[in-house]
């Protein structure tokens, strides 16, 4: 167990009876550490953007803003949260942007709008004339897929290199639109270095295609899609090996005149989050032991998008009033009327009683936003941050914004 997890567990144990649950508890020092680690992957002049889709909790966004991060947003809600947190460097991602949204962006001075499709491009052309200058990046889908959660070949995202070249050509003749460069995000939840580096190979090939067509690429935005070990069987991505491999790349000539922008969600916030739920009941039925929690898939969805979640257990930590070395095999379930509401099957756990706590680490990204908030109208979650000085800062829960 890491030192930061030890500190968080110590806090939870000391406040076991009065912590409101279900709770997302974020560790300020873990957030700082994740940002430090991520920053080291890139050259010093690279700009980092936090992808709010991972977790738009205003307290987290505020903290990342104080660390100098920009924001990658996909709609008005994320824009508003970023501005309220004091972020002025905003990158506009998201698919199928409407003419209305694009019109509003033209007057808001974004760092860049990422063009995802020819239709978006036509919409932007139509509305950009009223703006002074709209910077754009073109998102490229190379037509092949990489490991992890694929968002490249075979998916709906981005433009083919040919489509992007013809948009860059058209942009050159428009006074109100500035083609800044290219955007690459090929997928998420990568737990090994190889597919990330293969993706960089492809990025470099595409930059060369643009260079050959005499396009100067000022900015390249890359989302590496670094993964998080949600499940008991996952191994963490080796960040120091990744750093070494990436730095070999950054030395090459092709990157010498390019400013890198890096967008990330999970890698920045997942490890800072701990989901804490309270045991409400233990039950024996047909030879099995079920332990019920006061929140289920309505408040916590680990491993978003990884169809495997329902068949694999996340890592569990336990805080019991009467610690006992004897382990038993239990199923950990939530409070919803569906048998899918099962966090863990055949989990080896100490004997858990009503009031004990179950903690799931690495729960700071996507777990809250993609949970089934409406199911059974059960009470939702609270959110708080454990500050570096050991105090607890209560945050306004995002479902109450
Ligand atoms: C375009 C884009 N950028 C960034 C992200 C954030 O990804 P991650 O949380 O894997 O860093 C996503 C996630 O879906 C995305 O689609």
């Amino acid at each position: 167990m890491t030192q930061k997890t030890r500190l968080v567990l110590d806090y939870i144990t000391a406040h076991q009876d009065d912590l409101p649950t279900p709770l997302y508890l974020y560790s300020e020092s873990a957030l700082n550490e994740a940002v430090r680690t991520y920053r080291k992957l890139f050259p010093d002049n690279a700009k980092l953007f936090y992808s709010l889709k991972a977790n738009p909790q205003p307290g987290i966004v505020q903290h990342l803003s104080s660390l100098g991060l920009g924001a990658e947003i996909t709609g008005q809600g994320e824009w508003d949260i970023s501005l309220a947190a004091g972020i002025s460097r905003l990158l506009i991602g998201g698919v199928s942007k409407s003419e209305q949204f694009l019109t509003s962006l033209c007057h808001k001075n974004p760092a860049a709008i990422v063009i995802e499709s020819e239709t978006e491009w036509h919409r932007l052309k139509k509305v950009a004339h009223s703006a002074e200058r709209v910077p754009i990046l073109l998102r490229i889908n190379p037509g092949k897929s990489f490991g992890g959660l694929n968002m490249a070949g075979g998916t709906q995202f981005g433009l083919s290199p040919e489509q992007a070249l013809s948009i860059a050509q058209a942009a050159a003749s428009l006074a109100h639109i500035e083609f800044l460069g290219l955007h690459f995000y090929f997928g998420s939840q990568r737990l090994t270095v190889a597919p990330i580096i293969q993706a960089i190979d492809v990025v470099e090939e595409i930059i060369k295609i643009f260079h050959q067509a005499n396009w100067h690429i000022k900015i390249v935005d890359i989302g590496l899609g670094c993964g998080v070990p949600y499940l008991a069987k996952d191994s963490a991505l080796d960040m120091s090996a990744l750093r070494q491999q990436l730095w070999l790349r950054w030395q090459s000539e092709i990157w010498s005149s390019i400013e890198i922008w890096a967008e990330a969600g999970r890698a920045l916030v997942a490890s800072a989050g701990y989901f804490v739920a309270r045991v409400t009941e233990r039950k024996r039925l047909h030879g099995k032991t079920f332990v019920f929690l006061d929140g289920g898939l309505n408040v916590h969805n680990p491993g978003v998008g990884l169809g495997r979640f329902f068949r694999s257990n996340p890592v569990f930590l336990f805080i019991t009033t009467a610690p006992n070395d004897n382990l038993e095999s239990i199923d950990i379930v939530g409070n919803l009327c569906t048998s899918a509401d099962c966090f863990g099957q055949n989990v080896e756990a100490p004997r858990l009683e009503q009031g004990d706590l179950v903690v799931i680490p690495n729960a700071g990204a996507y777990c809250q936003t993609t949970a089934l908030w409406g199911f059974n109208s059960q009470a939702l979650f609270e959110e708080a941050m454990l500050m570096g000085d050991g105090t607890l800062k209560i945050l306004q829960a995002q479902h109450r914004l």
Side-chain angles (χ1 to χ4, degrees):
M1 186 181 302
T2 62
Q3 167 75 357
K4 75 177 161 54
T5 296
R6 186 71 270 154
L7 287 173
V8 172
L9 282 194
D10 286 349
Y11 184 91
I12 298 173
T13 307
H15 297 84
Q16 178 175 349
D17 294 337
D18 38 82
L19 275 182
T21 54
L23 170 72
Y24 279 96
L25 183 58
Y26 305 106
S27 153
E28 186 194 34
S29 28
L31 265 185
N32 293 345
E33 188 184 311
V35 171
R36 260 196 313 274
T37 307
Y38 204 74
R39 219 188 266 289
K40 283 197 207 139
L41 297 178
F42 301 97
D44 288 349
N45 69 341
K47 293 196 167 75
L48 297 199
F49 292 81
Y50 172 50
S51 299
L52 263 76
K53 56 184 81 74
N55 189 341
Q57 161 52 242
I60 288 186
V61 181
Q62 177 95 51
H63 189 72
L64 295 178
S65 165
S66 76
L67 298 177
L69 271 75
E72 187 257 328
I73 62 115
T74 55
Q76 192 60 45
E78 292 178 357
W79 175 282
D80 293 342
I81 292 170
S82 303
L83 276 198
I87 297 181
S88 54
R89 201 172 67 241
L90 286 113
L91 176 62
I92 319 302
V95 292
S96 204
K97 299 172 201 63
S98 68
E99 198 174 305
Q100 191 191 14
F101 185 45
L102 289 168
T103 307
S104 76
L105 292 173
C106 285
H107 302 281
K108 286 180 170 163
N109 203 17
I113 299 177
V114 180
I115 298 297
E116 279 268 354
S117 68
E118 292 180 313
T119 301
E120 274 188 6
W121 166 243
H122 291 305
R123 288 179 185 158
L124 181 68
K125 263 195 317 188
K126 197 167 149 198
V127 300
H129 55 82
S130 62
E132 235 170 66
R133 174 189 149 272
V134 185
I136 61 166
L137 295 177
L138 302 176
R139 178 172 179 179
I140 309 287
N141 181 332
K144 56 172 107 163
S145 49
F146 305 84
L149 210 162
N150 178 41
M151 290 175 74
T155 71
Q156 67 270 47
F157 304 104
L159 297 153
S160 69
E162 299 72 30
Q163 288 171 329
L165 274 168
S166 88
I167 292 176
Q169 183 72 49
S173 60
L174 299 174
H176 301 280
I177 297 183
E178 184 187 7
F179 167 57
L180 282 186
L182 304 175
H183 177 283
F184 300 94
Y185 180 84
F186 298 158
S188 189
Q189 192 50 16
R190 295 188 182 130
L191 289 172
T192 54
V193 171
I196 300 178
I197 297 300
Q198 279 159 21
I200 299 289
D201 285 342
V202 172
V203 168
E204 290 181 356
E205 277 167 29
I206 289 165
I207 294 171
K208 281 182 195 149
I209 294 176
F210 275 74
H211 284 174
Q212 278 153 14
N214 282 327
W215 286 104
H216 172 58
I217 304 296
K218 208 158 124 193
I219 287 163
V220 168
D221 180 288
I222 309 175
L224 297 178
C226 294
V228 170
Y230 290 112
L231 305 174
K233 66 183 185 187
D234 287 340
S235 304
L237 175 62
D238 182 341
M239 293 299 270
S240 85
L242 177 61
R243 179 168 183 250
Q244 267 185 359
Q245 297 273 328
L246 285 174
W247 273 88
L248 288 177
R249 294 316 171 106
W250 307 145
Q251 313 300 320
S252 94
E253 175 60 25
I254 195 164
W255 294 100
S256 61
S257 60
I258 290 175
E259 179 175 307
I260 297 175
W261 291 2
E263 61 186 58
R266 255 181 249 278
L268 298 174
V269 296
S271 64
Y274 295 79
F275 174 67
V276 186
R278 199 173 295 277
V279 173
T280 55
E281 182 181 338
R282 57 180 287 129
K283 170 174 179 176
R284 286 283 300 164
L285 184 66
H286 299 310
K288 284 174 83 168
T289 301
F290 294 91
V291 167
F292 287 77
L293 303 181
D294 59 359
L297 291 180
N298 57 329
V299 290
H300 185 71
N301 174 20
V304 56
L306 311 174
R308 60 189 183 156
F309 164 60
F310 295 111
R311 297 184 297 279
S312 297
N313 294 345
V315 173
F316 293 105
L317 306 168
F318 304 100
I319 294 173
T320 55
T321 317
N324 184 333
D325 286 343
N326 294 333
L327 297 181
E328 60 178 354
S329 176
I330 58 171
D331 280 12
I332 299 179
V333 299
N335 52 359
L336 304 182
C337 298
T338 165
S339 55
D341 192 24
C342 178
F343 282 147
Q345 290 182 313
N346 303 317
V347 179
E348 292 286 293
R351 186 180 167 90
L352 294 170
E353 299 289 354
Q354 190 176 330
D356 288 344
L357 297 176
V358 173
V359 179
I360 301 180
N362 286 321
Y366 300 106
C367 306
Q368 29 298 82
T369 48
T370 64
L372 310 172
W373 292 5
F375 207 142
N376 283 171
S377 304
Q378 294 282 18
L380 297 178
F381 53 87
E382 304 298 329
E383 294 181 275
M385 194 178 293
L386 182 58
M387 307 305 286
D389 63 5
T391 57
L392 189 73
K393 182 170 162 189
I394 302 293
L395 306 172
Q396 185 181 13
Q398 54 193 272
H399 52 83
R400 296 198 191 97
L401 289 177

